[in-house]
């Protein structure tokens, strides 16, 4: 199995200490997370896209470019790119630029988004989200694979002989399809024979398994080999301790604070409390042995090759503790028990001199912002 550390950059007061990070401190924290993930051998780091408080992740390509400058190996994912509201021309340009600057480390996860507040911001109605996603995705695919694109649709003005620039560094930027609630996403992924990433965050296993099963069925329908399906999975939150009881005690304030937010309420999670979520849901709270057992159980249901975790909301010291414990006490067992061929080929940067990103101090040594001093 391969591992990614993901963040939605939710910036709330710490549930235990009450500490509030400034916006710049939170951005700095994210850069440190990504650097730590790389040092500890994680395969990828991901930034989700949300628009509006308490999330600071409205511009994933900008944040991931800063991460590209601060790292050298780790793959960079979007989790997700909310393509249902974005201009595919702008997406093609922004992410091709990031692909070039990162040395070909970029992979996109696309979706319709998980926060209805963004639809009025970008001029579409919520009931249009799936049609919008489908149309914009077809156009994005063409913009990255073709030149002189002529196109006409519903959700943006027509194009006549357009070639977006720069072109991506990778011959084909890998695209995953985010899946959380509807077979429309699994249908789109299956039609193209592209990987699926299940959110696996707010509901019991059976709901997400049904979507994954639909994806495999539709892969076969479209003539793809379902045995070669590539699937990633989220895991809710992570908190490891020497015993399950200690993990529950330490994590419960965070769980209760998060599930009181409007963002969590929107997902209508059926779990009554943290203990119920541990028993019937996806959160990884417990001893290393308990967490390994749970991941193995979910793998038996999903057959996923990539797992993402998150340490959002924890204190800085707890983030370090949790990421390090996962990397040293959980990941090695799962890499051995569940070998994965995903991401076995190194990113393009290893074939060159590295990502084309100069150090800020080489350019503006007297004016560099503290955010880059990591």
């Amino acid at each position: 199995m391969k591992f990614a550390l993901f963040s939605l950059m939710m910036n709330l007061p710490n549930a235990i200490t009450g500490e509030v990070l400034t916006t710049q401190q939170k951005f700095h924290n994210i850069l440190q997370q990504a650097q730590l993930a790389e040092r500890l051998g994680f395969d990828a780091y991901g930034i989700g896209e949300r628009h509006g408080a308490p999330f600071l992740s409205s511009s994933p390509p900008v944040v991931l470019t800063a991460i590209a400058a601060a790292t050298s190996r780790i793959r960079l994912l979007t989790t997700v790119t909310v393509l249902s509201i974005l201009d595919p021309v702008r997406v093609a340009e922004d992410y091709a630029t990031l692909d070039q600057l990162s040395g070909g480390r970029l992979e996109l996860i696309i979706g319709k988004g998980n926060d209805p507040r963004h639809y009025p911001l970008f001029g579409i109605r919520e009931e249009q989200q799936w049609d919008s996603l489908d149309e914009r995705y077809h156009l994005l695919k063409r913009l990255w694979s073709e030149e002189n694109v002529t196109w006409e649709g519903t959700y943006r003005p027509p194009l006549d002989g357009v070639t977006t620039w720069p072109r991506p560094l990778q011959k084909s930027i890998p695209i995953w399809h985010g899946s959380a609630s509807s077979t429309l996403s699994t249908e789109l992924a299956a039609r193209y024979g592209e990987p699926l990433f299940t959110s696996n965050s707010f509901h019991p296993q059976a709901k997400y398994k049904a979507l994954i099963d639909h994806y495999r069925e539709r892969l076969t329908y479209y003539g793809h080999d379902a045995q070669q399906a590539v699937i990633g999975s989220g895991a809710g939150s992570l908190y490891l301790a020497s015993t399950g009881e200690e993990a529950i005690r330490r994590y419960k304030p965070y769980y209760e604070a998060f599930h009181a937010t409007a963002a969590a309420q929107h997902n209508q999670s059926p779990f009554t409390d943290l203990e119920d979520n541990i028993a019937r849901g996806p959160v990884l709270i417990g001893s290393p042995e308990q967490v390994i057992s749970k991941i193995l159980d979910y793998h038996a249901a999903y057959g996923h090759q990539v797992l993402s975790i998150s340490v959002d909301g924890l204190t800085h010291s707890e983030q370090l503790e949790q990421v390090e414990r996962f990397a040293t006490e959980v990941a090695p067992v799962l890499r051995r028990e569940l070998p994965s061929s995903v991401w076995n080929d190194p990113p393009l940067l290893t074939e060159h001199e590295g990502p084309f990103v100069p150090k800020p101090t080489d350019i503006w040594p007297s004016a560099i912002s503290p955010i880059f001093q990591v």
Side-chain angles (χ1 to χ4, degrees), residues 6 77-82 107-111 174-179 197:
F6 283 179
L77 272 66
T78 63
T79 64
V80 297
T81 295
V82 186
E107 303 199 10
L108 254 62
I109 303 177
I110 65 153
I175 297 179
W176 303 66
H177 294 254
S179 170
F197 213 110

Side-chain angles (χ1 to χ4, degrees), residues 73-241:
R73 176 197 57 81
I74 200 164
R75 283 174 170 81
L76 309 172
L77 272 66
T78 63
T79 64
V80 297
T81 295
V82 186
L83 192 57
S84 60
I85 60 172
L86 302 177
D87 180 359
V89 173
R90 185 78 253 192
V91 171
E93 294 171 337
D94 284 347
Y95 285 108
T97 301
L98 171 54
D99 195 46
Q100 290 283 347
L101 290 172
S102 68
R105 289 187 278 157
L106 173 66
E107 303 199 10
L108 254 62
I109 303 177
I110 65 153
K112 54 87 179 171
N114 191 36
D115 189 336
R117 295 179 299 170
H118 54 226
Y119 296 114
L121 287 176
F122 293 92
I124 73 167
R125 300 187 304 275
E126 188 169 358
E127 61 268 24
Q128 296 175 307
Q129 59 187 326
W130 296 110
D131 287 342
S132 175
L133 175 64
D134 188 275
E135 177 184 292
R136 294 173 199 250
Y137 185 57
H138 283 81
L139 177 54
L140 177 63
K141 293 281 288 185
R142 289 192 62 193
L143 291 170
W144 271 345
S145 62
E146 301 175 29
E147 299 182 1
N148 301 312
V149 173
T150 296
W151 172 93
E152 186 171 345
T154 302
Y155 295 100
R156 64 146 292 129
L159 301 175
D160 184 11
V162 170
T163 300
T164 56
W165 200 255
R167 308 303 293 167
L169 177 60
Q170 299 178 80
K171 182 177 180 181
S172 177
I173 293 176
I175 297 179
W176 303 66
H177 294 254
S179 170
S181 60
S182 171
T183 55
L184 294 171
S185 289
T186 51
E187 184 77 17
L188 186 61
R191 190 189 319 163
Y192 281 103
E194 292 172 331
L196 188 77
F197 213 110
T198 178
S199 69
N200 192 46
S201 298
F202 296 103
H203 295 276
Q205 184 184 95
K207 176 176 180 176
Y208 302 110
K209 183 179 185 302
L211 291 168
I212 293 170
D213 289 346
H214 176 264
Y215 166 64
R216 287 196 169 100
E217 292 168 5
R218 300 304 288 175
L219 279 172
T220 300
Y221 173 83
Y222 286 111
H224 306 293
D225 184 357
Q227 296 299 315
Q228 301 300 315
V230 176
I231 297 168
S233 174
S237 301
L238 170 77
Y239 207 101
L240 294 163

Side-chain angles (χ1 to χ4, degrees), residues 14-75:
N14 184 273
I16 295 176
T17 68
E19 178 187 17
V20 179
L21 298 180
T22 67
T23 296
Q24 189 180 59
Q25 286 173 331
K26 182 62 179 180
F27 280 121
H28 193 189
N29 170 254
I30 292 299
L31 292 177
Q32 290 180 318
Q33 272 193 21
Q35 290 176 306
L36 176 65
E38 180 167 88
R39 288 198 301 269
L40 292 173
F42 278 74
D43 302 281
Y45 189 87
I47 294 292
E49 179 181 340
R50 292 288 183 96
H51 297 270
F55 304 98
L56 299 177
S57 54
S58 58
S59 302
V62 179
V63 178
L64 289 172
T65 298
I67 291 172
T71 59
S72 62
R73 176 197 57 81
I74 200 164
R75 283 174 170 81

Side-chain angles (χ1 to χ4, degrees), residues 13 30 63 89 97-98 108 236 256 259 266 268 280 339 352 373:
I30 292 299
V63 178
V89 173
T97 301
L98 171 54
L108 254 62
E256 292 176 347
H259 282 270
H266 169 71
Q268 300 180 331
R280 300 191 300 121
H352 305 280
Q373 297 175 0

Side-chain angles (χ1 to χ4, degrees), residues 326-361:
F326 186 89
T328 58
E329 301 176 48
V330 176
V333 176
L334 295 171
R335 289 188 193 277
R336 182 177 66 249
E337 295 296 320
L338 304 172
S340 169
S341 60
V342 177
W343 297 333
N344 280 353
D345 294 330
L348 290 179
L349 64 90
T350 59
E351 299 175 12
H352 305 280
E353 295 181 356
F356 182 65
V357 183
K359 295 297 184 184
T361 49

Side-chain angles (χ1 to χ4, degrees), residues 201-346:
S201 298
F202 296 103
H203 295 276
Q205 184 184 95
K207 176 176 180 176
Y208 302 110
K209 183 179 185 302
L211 291 168
I212 293 170
D213 289 346
H214 176 264
Y215 166 64
R216 287 196 169 100
E217 292 168 5
R218 300 304 288 175
L219 279 172
T220 300
Y221 173 83
Y222 286 111
H224 306 293
D225 184 357
Q227 296 299 315
Q228 301 300 315
V230 176
I231 297 168
S233 174
S237 301
L238 170 77
Y239 207 101
L240 294 163
S242 298
T243 66
E245 293 76 14
E246 180 188 358
I248 291 172
R249 176 180 58 79
R250 293 175 63 182
Y251 185 70
K252 183 168 283 192
Y254 294 113
Y255 182 86
E256 292 176 347
F258 174 70
H259 282 270
T261 65
Q265 302 265 328
H266 169 71
N267 290 285
Q268 300 180 331
S269 180
F271 307 117
T272 57
D273 53 26
L274 176 58
E275 288 82 355
D276 186 33
N277 196 318
I278 293 171
R280 300 191 300 121
V283 294
L284 301 176
I285 312 298
S287 68
E289 294 77 18
Q290 289 170 327
V291 166
I292 289 169
S293 177
K294 187 167 194 174
I295 294 170
L296 291 172
D297 174 72
Y298 271 73
H299 179 267
Y302 297 168
H304 55 296
Q305 298 98 318
V306 176
L307 176 73
S308 71
I309 63 167
S310 173
V311 292
D312 277 357
L314 306 183
T315 64
H316 179 69
S317 61
E318 286 175 306
Q319 289 180 22
L320 294 176
E321 174 196 12
Q322 292 304 314
V323 176
E324 288 179 356
R325 290 197 70 164
F326 186 89
T328 58
E329 301 176 48
V330 176
V333 176
L334 295 171
R335 289 188 193 277
R336 182 177 66 249
E337 295 296 320
L338 304 172
S340 169
S341 60
V342 177
W343 297 333
N344 280 353
D345 294 330

